[in-house]
Amino acid sequence: MSERLSEAQVSDAFHSYLKSSLTQAKAERLLDTDLLSSAEADLMITGPALCLYFAALRCTTSPPSVPLPRSRTSVHIDLSSDNCPPPFISFLQVWSRNVPAIQSLSPEQNHDLARIICGLDPVSNVLHPQLNRIAAELRAVAIEISQRRTFQDRYASDLQAAIDGGGGVSVQASFVPPPMYDPSPSPSPNRSPGSVSKSLPPPPAPPRSEYLNAPMSPTTPSRAGSSRSVASSFAPDSPSSPSFAVDAPAIQLIRETLYASLADVISSHRHIKRLLVQDPPRAYFASVALAILDVALTRTTSEGGEVVVIGVLGAHLTLAQCPAPLRPFMCELGAIGAAARAAEEEDTMLALEILEGDAGAELPTPRMERMRRMLERGVGAEHRRRRSSAASSDSDEDDSAEEESRRRSIQGRAIALANRINALALGMTKLRAFRDRQNEVFKILAGIMD
């Protein structure tokens, strides 16, 4: 086996390719200077996803690998599964699986795929059936990459290189990496994690160095990457803008309903409890995503065509009662709830259909179960689990091909929904109404481990 590359080597190569990918996307009018120079949060997903896409187009090896950029004195090295650093192996595996599918597309279909990744409508009237799944998987990996602090610290220079490439008017990229988040493990002595009141006094804002790394904004994809308009609705609060009633009753109801669910999530997921020690920011993010799913499923309904949130104490919050800056969040929460309930119903109907044909048949993993695992552990971990399951299967080739087709269809829809929840979680933690309370909440929830 080849000697493992260092994380720094792979990171340097990725950012070199990211600059060229952003520049190419600008040249192809997938991105423009105004967008690259803005702080629009969806760029944190779009940029890395485009980098993965262009790398797949350039790949010439089988199995797929990525050549590291060469200097005058360096030797040729390909990043492969044999030498990939452990933290990046799951990313490489998901990317590798999609390389053959991307390379089999026609030029028109590839252009549609690039547009979907960028949140643009495809040009073709008839969409290739795999494009949404591929875009969703690339964006899922991009979401995980964008949570790495090393990526956040270098992304502004990547954007600036793309802005400056090709001439034209030079502007400054406005992206600034989010402050570090390093929560204290000490719980509050006088509050239990599950206790939630209707009116909590506003605590002092935590030091900026303790905020969660949350660079992105929610997405409401009719297609896998269609997010630009909704992302702009979740721009982070400007330091100079007035607060929009951070501690108003409506804000408290949404916030405390989510945080009550957050306590249940952490107490019932052993993997997240371990992450609280090993990787607190990742534990917090995964917990928030799972809490959003729980609230969306169990505490949202529709009245007169508008979403209603049912609070922890039974109070109902209508869209009209919600402060305007939070209405996109509330609408997306309701839409996720509707999509998740539809997925649960489809899981049930599929199981009944299979059992009607063969009462002893093995049922596929439900889409909702796949999606929950991805929220908790990431898309790479779910990919490894599926590969392990496929390797142990003794089905014949025809059955395996049919089953794989069905699995990939379910998987693509599961990833798309997980991406939607992850994006909403990231956007929520940027809003002051939630951000200013998260340090206190994390201290309380960390006490669950004691």
Side-chain angles (χ1 to χ4, degrees), residues 100-168:
I102 292 172
Q103 294 190 343
S104 69
L105 298 172
S106 68
E108 294 79 13
Q109 291 164 346
N110 262 304
H111 184 62
D112 280 343
L113 175 58
R115 289 181 63 85
I116 293 172
I117 289 171
C118 292
L120 303 171
D121 290 329
V123 175
S124 303
N125 292 325
V126 180
L127 198 63
H128 188 282
Q130 293 298 316
L131 296 190
N132 282 334
R133 179 194 60 77
I134 295 170
E137 292 199 11
L138 296 184
R139 286 176 66 87
V141 174
I143 285 172
E144 296 191 40
I145 290 173
S146 65
Q147 292 179 51
R148 297 181 62 85
R149 187 65 191 187
T150 52
F151 170 85
Q152 297 167 5
D153 288 339
R154 299 176 66 170
Y155 195 46
S157 64
D158 300 331
L159 293 169
Q160 193 63 52
I163 291 170
D164 295 339

Side-chain angles (χ1 to χ4, degrees), residues 309-354:
V309 174
I310 305 171
V312 288
L313 299 178
H316 284 51
L317 176 66
T318 66
L319 192 63
Q321 295 170 320
C322 184
L326 280 185
R327 286 177 189 169
F329 166 77
M330 187 170 168
C331 288
E332 180 68 351
L333 187 67
I336 287 172
R341 286 188 286 271
E344 284 187 327
E345 185 175 347
E346 289 174 14
D347 285 339
T348 300
M349 296 303 295
L350 177 60
L352 292 174
E353 180 184 338
I354 294 173

Side-chain angles (χ1 to χ4, degrees), residues 92-344:
L92 183 66
Q93 289 174 337
V94 176
W95 172 81
S96 298
R97 187 183 71 167
N98 282 288
V99 169
I102 292 172
Q103 294 190 343
S104 69
L105 298 172
S106 68
E108 294 79 13
Q109 291 164 346
N110 262 304
H111 184 62
D112 280 343
L113 175 58
R115 289 181 63 85
I116 293 172
I117 289 171
C118 292
L120 303 171
D121 290 329
V123 175
S124 303
N125 292 325
V126 180
L127 198 63
H128 188 282
Q130 293 298 316
L131 296 190
N132 282 334
R133 179 194 60 77
I134 295 170
E137 292 199 11
L138 296 184
R139 286 176 66 87
V141 174
I143 285 172
E144 296 191 40
I145 290 173
S146 65
Q147 292 179 51
R148 297 181 62 85
R149 187 65 191 187
T150 52
F151 170 85
Q152 297 167 5
D153 288 339
R154 299 176 66 170
Y155 195 46
S157 64
D158 300 331
L159 293 169
Q160 193 63 52
I163 291 170
D164 295 339
V169 179
S170 180
V171 295
Q172 190 70 30
S174 58
F175 171 78
V176 177
M180 293 290 288
Y181 182 69
D182 184 20
S184 166
S186 59
S188 169
N190 298 319
R191 286 265 305 271
S192 66
S195 65
V196 181
S197 66
K198 273 193 174 181
S199 180
L200 290 175
R208 287 184 62 82
S209 62
E210 294 184 350
Y211 289 171
L212 173 69
N213 296 348
M216 291 172 285
S217 291
T219 188
T220 309
S222 57
R223 297 179 175 87
S226 200
S227 57
R228 192 168 294 175
S229 61
V230 175
S232 63
S233 300
F234 282 86
D237 302 317
S238 168
S240 60
S241 64
S243 167
F244 53 87
V246 170
D247 289 288
I251 300 293
Q252 289 185 359
L253 187 144
I254 296 177
R255 183 175 55 208
E256 295 173 14
T257 300
L258 283 165
Y259 287 158
S261 180
L262 195 63
D264 293 336
V265 165
I266 293 180
S267 65
S268 60
H269 289 73
R270 288 181 294 177
H271 177 71
I272 290 180
K273 286 184 179 181
R274 290 194 296 269
L275 281 180
L276 281 169
V277 176
Q278 301 165 358
D279 189 353
R282 173 62 189 164
Y284 183 83
F285 174 70
S287 301
V288 169
L290 287 166
I292 283 177
L293 174 61
D294 176 63
V295 171
L297 266 174
T298 64
R299 293 189 175 276
T300 64
T301 185
S302 178
E303 294 180 4
E306 291 190 349
V307 62
V308 176
V309 174
I310 305 171
V312 288
L313 299 178
H316 284 51
L317 176 66
T318 66
L319 192 63
Q321 295 170 320
C322 184
L326 280 185
R327 286 177 189 169
F329 166 77
M330 187 170 168
C331 288
E332 180 68 351
L333 187 67
I336 287 172
R341 286 188 286 271
E344 284 187 327

Side-chain angles (χ1 to χ4, degrees), residues 422-434:
N422 278 330
L424 186 61
L426 289 162
M428 186 197 79
T429 55
K430 286 188 73 73
L431 293 172
R432 182 181 173 190
F434 300 95

